[in-house]
Amino acid sequence: MLEALIRLEDVGPGGYYETAESQLKLLALADYLYMHGVPFQVAVISRFIDPLRGVDCPMGNPHNPVSVRFVQTLHALCARGASLGMHGYTHQYGQSISAEGYEFAYSGCKKDCPPGDPLESLSTMFHFQKSYAYRRFYMAYSEFHAAGLHPNWFETPHYTASEVQRKILEACTCLIYEDNPEAPNSRQMTFRRSSSIFGKTYYVPTPLGYIGSETVEQDVNRMMNQANSFGENDLASFFYHPFLEFPYIHIRKNAPPIYEDRSPLKRLIQHMFSNGRRFVSILDLFRSYIIKETATDSGEKKP
């Protein structure tokens, strides 16, 4: 079956999605996807921090009008078929800005470097719950809970975490929406053994990558050509920053928005359709994988 998957990336209560107009444009994008039968995923940054501007906006704060509007927008996205995931907690560390900075440890860091976690963090529940990675996961989940929302999956900022931190995160969730570090070039769902309730953590990759803000046309053409070469069982999976659509969406007073057909995302969606691909939700993909895996395991156990 020819399947495609889309994730709206780096959506938080600040930056490109802080104003009422930008949130209306995000809803217009969601309306388009919903009306065309496209399930979609949203990578949510639950606390937006911009140290230079003095911005610290957790989405679960009921007294902040920006947070309240943002949470209302997320609920509206869910009503249009969105599956929400935790994209880290703040997607930054130190003086870096949310959606730009790193949140977990990585080699080669020279500025605003997130801490790692010692191997000891995996030894006991006490050390596990004291770990930096667990606390970031827990705080992100708490923001969702405060907003009356439920996350279905997790994604590390920039697909980066130390091996110990990754094992901590894998123990917290059975579904991670990013490339599997053990199979970075995979075009299909894979898993790693973990301490999750399944004993595994499943990875959903994005082999088509994303569209860069400085290379839009180049990346649109690249993704179309790559998708053409994908096989029947390959996931035409990609992520997209919604603000790239905003110049093509025009909000009108007392009238529906005007959404231009020449936008990069619309062209990508239509290309997938024209090549016989069907967009699926990450949860349907996950359920289907588990069913097939269970059937295979049962067949192998028969005498």
Side-chain angles (χ1 to χ4, degrees):
M1 182 180 294
L2 297 171
E3 294 178 326
L5 204 69
I6 177 174
R7 183 178 74 226
L8 303 183
E9 192 78 344
D10 293 340
V11 178
Y16 292 108
Y17 312 101
E18 184 175 330
T19 67
E21 181 179 1
S22 65
Q23 291 169 1
L24 286 173
K25 289 186 175 184
L26 184 58
L27 287 177
L29 190 164
D31 282 336
Y32 167 78
L33 296 175
Y34 179 72
M35 288 186 294
H36 286 79
V38 177
F40 59 100
Q41 287 60 235
V42 184
V44 178
I45 302 169
S46 55
R47 180 182 175 188
F48 192 93
I49 294 178
D50 184 344
L52 293 178
R53 291 175 54 211
V55 172
D56 185 346
C57 187
M59 72 179 190
N61 183 357
H63 307 294
N64 185 325
V66 174
S67 299
V68 171
R69 273 193 288 102
F70 180 72
V71 168
Q72 290 172 343
T73 300
L74 290 183
H75 280 283
L77 295 180
C78 290
R80 289 159 173 79
S83 168
L84 306 183
M86 298 182 287
H87 194 15
Y89 174 45
T90 64
H91 198 317
Q92 60 81 236
Y93 186 80
Q95 294 302 301
S96 61
I97 301 171
S98 289
E100 296 180 12
Y102 287 75
E103 189 164 355
F104 298 102
Y106 67 102
S107 61
C109 179
K110 296 179 180 178
K111 184 180 180 182
D112 294 314
C113 299
D117 282 304
L119 189 59
E120 183 184 39
S121 301
L122 303 173
S123 62
T124 67
M125 183 59 69
F126 173 79
H127 290 104
F128 182 89
Q129 293 180 340
K130 289 288 185 181
S131 69
Y132 171 83
Y134 173 79
R135 285 185 286 115
R136 301 301 276 195
F137 185 98
Y138 178 79
M139 287 187 288
Y141 187 87
S142 296
E143 286 299 328
F144 270 78
H145 182 75
L149 295 163
H150 180 74
N152 300 131
W153 41 272
F154 189 85
E155 176 199 354
T156 61
H158 304 301
Y159 291 6
T160 300
S162 73
E163 181 59 21
V164 169
Q165 290 178 332
R166 188 165 293 279
K167 288 181 178 179
I168 292 169
L169 296 169
E170 289 173 339
C172 295
T173 178
C174 59
L175 188 58
I176 294 183
Y177 194 173
E178 62 188 73
D179 300 342
N180 185 339
E182 293 181 354
N185 298 316
S186 177
R187 297 177 178 178
Q188 300 168 10
M189 197 169 179
T190 57
F191 66 84
R192 289 188 2 146
R193 296 290 176 183
S194 73
S195 298
S196 77
I197 58 173
F198 280 82
K200 303 174 182 178
T201 293
Y202 297 84
Y203 281 81
V204 177
T206 51
L208 290 178
Y210 70 102
I211 291 177
S213 58
E214 302 297 325
T215 54
V216 174
E217 289 305 314
Q218 176 183 333
D219 285 334
V220 167
N221 291 328
R222 172 189 59 77
M223 290 172 69
M224 287 180 176
N225 290 331
Q226 277 186 264
N228 291 343
S229 70
F230 277 24
E232 182 177 341
N233 296 318
D234 293 337
L235 271 177
S237 174
F238 64 95
F239 59 97
Y240 190 84
H241 296 88
F243 70 83
L244 294 175
E245 290 294 282
F246 290 178
Y248 305 92
I249 301 173
H250 310 282
I251 303 300
R252 298 185 294 170
K253 189 175 182 179
N254 300 322
I258 295 175
Y259 192 169
E260 299 179 40
D261 288 335
R262 64 188 182 95
S263 81
L265 185 59
K266 279 193 172 185
R267 285 185 286 141
L268 268 175
I269 297 292
Q270 290 306 316
H271 181 80
M272 296 294 180
F273 283 155
S274 67
N275 281 273
R277 288 202 174 268
R278 178 177 68 92
F279 282 88
V280 296
S281 76
I282 189 172
L283 294 182
D284 285 344
L285 184 73
F286 179 57
R287 294 186 190 103
S288 177
Y289 188 94
I290 294 297
I291 290 171
K292 291 177 183 177
E293 188 179 55
T294 302
T296 300
D297 290 345
S298 298
E300 290 177 350
K301 291 177 182 177
K302 289 182 180 179

